[in-house]
Amino acid sequence: MPPTHSVIVPAYKEAGNLDALTRRVFAACENQGFAKGTVEIIIVDDNSRDGSVEVIDKLRKEGYNVTSIVRTTERGLSSAVLHGFKVANGQYLLCMDADLQHPPEAVPSLLRCFDNTNTEFVLGTRYGKGVEIDKDWPVHRRVISWGARILARPLTSLSDPMSGFFGLRKDVLGKGLKAISPIGYKVALEIFVKCQIKSYEEVAFNFAPRTIGESKLTGKVIVHYLKHLRMLYDFSFGTLFYVIIALLVIIAFYVLHKVLALIL
């Protein structure tokens, strides 16, 4: 039976997590009634050279429907996700991180959202009802996540566009593929805006701390996110975005002038 659901996992130096991720995803899908062969995992590796390929080869020999694609001429999370989406066999696409912070046991719940034929997009959210963020998640990471969500609010009604745990139908991706830019780390936000998603569902999940490997969040990533936001605002609002910015600057100077006048 050919795959109907494809799980795309962008990876760089994640060899220590790939075995557990693969086994747990397939176990969860089997437990939730997905027929054998209908789910595939595609690992898109940016030439890690850390043993990731060997891990996947071993799993394939054991019968797991998992494939490794090693990129040697491209780099970047977003482009890796889009590459995986393009080569996927399934009509329902899901992206998740390789570091196990996105629980593999939540994968079937997200994929089942596509049983509703009207659903275009599904998001795993860390801010759903009853969700607890692990106490070991650093405070500065929580603050950064909160700030990023606030800045993206005019672009989307998603509760957690930063989560990176998301999926969509392949036909929906095709409608906006030419406009999608493979930059930055927040490809879910890029796809949601550029594909002009109207119908979506959210599934709450408990975010876990990374146990193996290192975080990819750096100051450079944050700067890229801000640049990415500017482009998305430009795409969504055009010149109106710059008019609003100019008005806000004028208002800020006016308020500052009035405050100084009262003080002086």
Side-chain angles (χ1 to χ4, degrees):
M1 184 178 295
T4 53
H5 300 75
S6 300
V7 180
I8 310 304
V9 185
Y12 182 68
K13 295 190 181 301
E14 297 285 1
N17 293 313
L18 296 179
D19 184 88
L21 181 143
T22 301
R23 295 180 189 277
R24 287 170 59 184
V25 166
F26 281 114
C29 289
E30 182 180 351
N31 289 338
Q32 294 300 316
F34 285 86
K36 185 176 179 60
T38 58
V39 178
E40 68 173 352
I41 296 178
I42 300 175
I43 309 294
V44 184
D45 182 86
D46 279 359
N47 203 23
S48 298
R49 298 183 181 180
D50 65 342
S52 293
V53 173
E54 289 75 14
V55 171
I56 300 306
D57 285 345
K58 180 176 180 294
L59 289 164
R60 284 183 60 81
K61 290 176 181 177
E62 293 181 28
Y64 288 98
N65 191 14
V66 57
T67 303
S68 177
I69 298 174
V70 179
R71 304 194 307 166
T72 58
T73 59
E74 275 189 287
R75 292 287 187 277
L77 186 144
S78 292
S79 63
V81 172
L82 291 172
H83 184 90
F85 282 171
K86 289 175 184 177
V87 303
N89 294 299
Q91 292 304 306
Y92 305 105
L93 311 172
L94 184 72
C95 172
M96 68 183 299
D97 289 348
D99 56 14
L100 298 177
Q101 291 185 305
H102 297 153
E105 290 71 25
V107 166
S109 296
L110 272 73
L111 293 179
R112 283 299 183 198
C113 290
F114 294 117
D115 290 350
N116 178 352
T117 56
N118 292 322
T119 299
E120 298 176 309
F121 186 96
V122 59
L123 178 75
T125 176
R126 297 165 291 184
Y127 301 99
K129 185 177 180 181
V131 169
E132 294 183 3
I133 295 179
D134 194 281
K135 59 181 174 48
D136 293 326
W137 200 37
V139 173
H140 75 278
R141 291 292 302 274
R142 301 186 192 209
V143 172
I144 291 172
S145 178
W146 175 82
R149 289 167 59 215
I150 294 300
L151 290 173
R153 180 56 63 190
L155 295 168
T156 175
S157 56
L158 294 172
S159 67
D160 190 11
M162 307 300 113
S163 82
F165 197 12
F166 72 97
L168 75 163
R169 300 198 319 254
K170 201 167 191 178
D171 65 305
V172 173
L173 176 68
K175 294 176 183 178
L177 193 57
K178 290 183 178 180
I180 294 172
S181 175
I183 65 168
Y185 274 68
K186 302 307 173 187
V187 65
L189 181 60
E190 171 80 10
I191 289 174
F192 191 89
V193 172
K194 297 290 181 69
C195 291
Q196 301 180 343
I197 302 296
K198 298 293 188 298
S199 174
Y200 67 91
E201 295 186 38
E202 295 191 343
V203 176
F205 74 95
N206 290 312
F207 188 66
R210 172 190 281 273
T211 57
I212 298 176
E214 297 180 355
S215 171
K216 307 299 190 298
L217 180 66
T218 64
K220 185 178 181 180
V221 170
I222 295 173
V223 171
H224 278 222
Y225 172 66
L226 295 175
K227 291 180 179 178
H228 189 193
L229 274 183
R230 183 189 64 78
M231 289 188 286
L232 289 178
Y233 272 104
D234 195 26
F235 176 85
S236 298
F237 305 114
T239 56
L240 178 61
F241 168 65
Y242 297 100
V243 171
I244 293 173
I245 292 297
L247 287 174
L248 289 175
V249 171
I250 292 171
I251 292 171
F253 274 111
Y254 175 78
V255 171
L256 180 61
H257 173 73
K258 289 296 185 181
V259 171
L260 290 176
L262 291 173
I263 294 175
L264 301 176

